[in-house]
Structure formats: C-alpha cells, structure tokens
Amino acid sequence: NAGVTQTPKFQVLKTGQSMTLQCAQDMNHNSMYWYRQDPGMGLRLIYYSASEGTTDKGEVPNGYNVSRLNKREFSLRLESAAPSQTSVYFCASPKVGANTGELFFGEGSRLTVL
Amino acid sequence: RKEVEQDPGPFNVPEGATVAFNCTYSNSASQSFFWYRQDCRKEPKLLMSVYSSGNEDGRFTAQLNRASQYISLLIRDSKLSDSATYLCVKAAGNKLTFGGGTRVLVKP
C-alpha cells in the first residue's frame, strides 16, 4: 500500500519551461491537495480537489493549473515556470475530510527554476 | 499577521531533558488543532491532535488555550530521534493552515 505517490522527486527547469507534477493515491480518498513549502513559510495550499471532477483555488494558485483526472490522480501543472516557483511541492490526501487533521503526504517534489 | 505562527528555533535540547514550545493562532472560530512532525527533507506526518482538555501520547503532551489563542507541545525525556521540525496546524472545515515550524535539535 503506497499511500500517496508523487513524481518526479527532483526537477530543474529553466524560466519559461513547463512541466507537470503527478500525484496518485491508492487510499480511495475523495479529497486531494497540492501544497508548496518554502523555508519559514510553512506549507501553503495551491489547489485542492474535494472530489473527482472538482477543483478549487487555495492560498497561492497563481502560475499553476490542476487536473483531477480521476479519483486516484491529481496533477499540478506549471505552464511557464518562474524562479519564484522554486520550492518543494507536496501532494496530500486527508483521511476523512480535512477537519480530522490527518493528511497523508507524498514524499515531495523538489523543483528548482533557474 | 499570519494565521498560525511559530518560533522557528532551533531549540537545542540535551538528551533526556524536557522541551516545550508554543504556536499562536488567529481567526479562532470553530477550529481543530494538530501537531505534525517533519524530518529533514521528508514529508510531514501527523504527530497528535490537540484537545481543549490537554492530551498525552507517551512522552508528548499537547495543550490548547483558546482564551490566549495558543497551543503548546511538550516533549519529556527527549531522545535523539525527536530531532525534527514540529509543525502546528489549524483546521477549519476543509482548510488546513500550517505554521512555519519549530526546529528541535536533541544533542547527546
């Protein structure tokens, strides 16, 4: 049982390039989230999906797009990467609704934009 | 002001000692609180929930003070393996807000 799986784990991009971060969960959860983590800033919510076919903006959505392809998969796309998007990205899925507080995280994707 | 604030530390703790640190929050209506642990270059993992009456999980004690709007985490008999960053989390409905984390270093 893998839980939440993210790919790639590391990526270096040049400014203006595009890429997609993939996330899949095998826990049959409805909700999925994308966070970014920067030093001293904590985790900030980029986008979330409460169920298959729905997505909503979080705290810092600018520069990103998402797709909830099916119940298992939730991808995050950077259409034109900027140095300010250098960060560690985490995909997460809550056990039973986020107010239980238990999020299962992927291992993270470390992105550097030059 | 950030919704959830933490002292970034680091808190340097001798092995076997007790360490405690707080997290302050704002916008306090109808919320739940949690502590997560994050090891270096790893993903966060839930450590424990925080209840109004206070709660313990082994060597860890969490407290919530709604009047003063802070939560605390106390670690007794610190182990080297307790070295990590501890993230304070506020949950309201589907929204989780994370603090920046408090780094704890336990030294022999």
Side-chain angles (χ1 to χ4, degrees), chain B residues 1-104:
Chain B
R1 181 186 174 189
K2 294 180 182 177
E3 283 192 57
V4 179
E5 291 197 81
Q6 296 183 250
D7 182 340
F11 284 64
N12 294 299
V13 185
E15 189 176 9
T18 296
V19 61
F21 42 90
N22 294 337
C23 163
T24 59
Y25 63 89
S26 59
N27 298 328
S28 58
S30 302
Q31 289 159 346
S32 305
F33 298 90
F34 307 88
W35 284 105
Y36 273 70
R37 172 194 169 121
Q38 185 173 24
D39 294 307
C40 187
R41 301 183 73 80
K42 297 288 188 180
E43 72 274 23
K45 293 183 180 178
L46 180 65
L47 177 66
M48 60 193 300
S49 303
V50 184
Y51 303 123
S52 296
S53 55
N55 51 296
E56 285 188 10
D57 184 358
R59 297 180 293 106
F60 297 82
T61 300
Q63 297 275 359
L64 167 60
N65 187 319
R66 290 194 184 272
S68 300
Q69 295 189 279
Y70 74 88
I71 68 171
S72 64
L73 183 66
L74 181 147
I75 307 173
R76 286 186 300 279
D77 187 23
S78 298
K79 312 292 185 190
L80 297 177
S81 59
D82 293 333
S83 295
T85 297
Y86 292 85
L87 305 173
C88 166
V89 179
K90 179 183 75 170
N94 284 324
K95 182 182 176 184
L96 271 67
T97 304
F98 286 79
T102 295
R103 190 172 174 210
V104 172

Side-chain angles (χ1 to χ4, degrees), chain A residues 13-21 61-67 76-82 85 111:
Chain A
L13 293 177
K14 295 181 180 178
T15 296
Q17 289 185 315
S18 62
M19 76 159 299
T20 299
L21 301 177
N62 291 344
Y64 305 95
N65 287 302
V66 290
S67 295
L76 178 72
R77 183 161 178 83
L78 287 71
E79 292 290 353
S80 179
Q85 294 178 303
L111 175 65

Side-chain angles (χ1 to χ4, degrees), chain A residues 16-87:
Chain A
Q17 289 185 315
S18 62
M19 76 159 299
T20 299
L21 301 177
Q22 307 285 354
C23 176
Q25 53 97 3
D26 60 6
M27 298 174 287
N28 201 36
H29 291 169
N30 288 321
S31 298
M32 297 181 74
Y33 300 79
W34 275 107
Y35 287 91
R36 61 176 287 173
Q37 186 175 32
D38 302 292
M41 298 291 291
L43 282 87
R44 293 181 291 170
L45 184 64
I46 305 171
Y47 270 94
Y48 68 98
S49 171
S51 62
E52 182 180 353
T54 68
T55 61
D56 287 286
K57 295 179 180 180
E59 182 184 356
V60 288
N62 291 344
Y64 305 95
N65 287 302
V66 290
S67 295
R68 183 74 183 269
L69 304 171
N70 47 55
K71 192 170 187 178
R72 289 188 67 249
E73 298 172 294
F74 188 37
S75 62
L76 178 72
R77 183 161 178 83
L78 287 71
E79 292 290 353
S80 179
S84 61
Q85 294 178 303
T86 293
S87 189

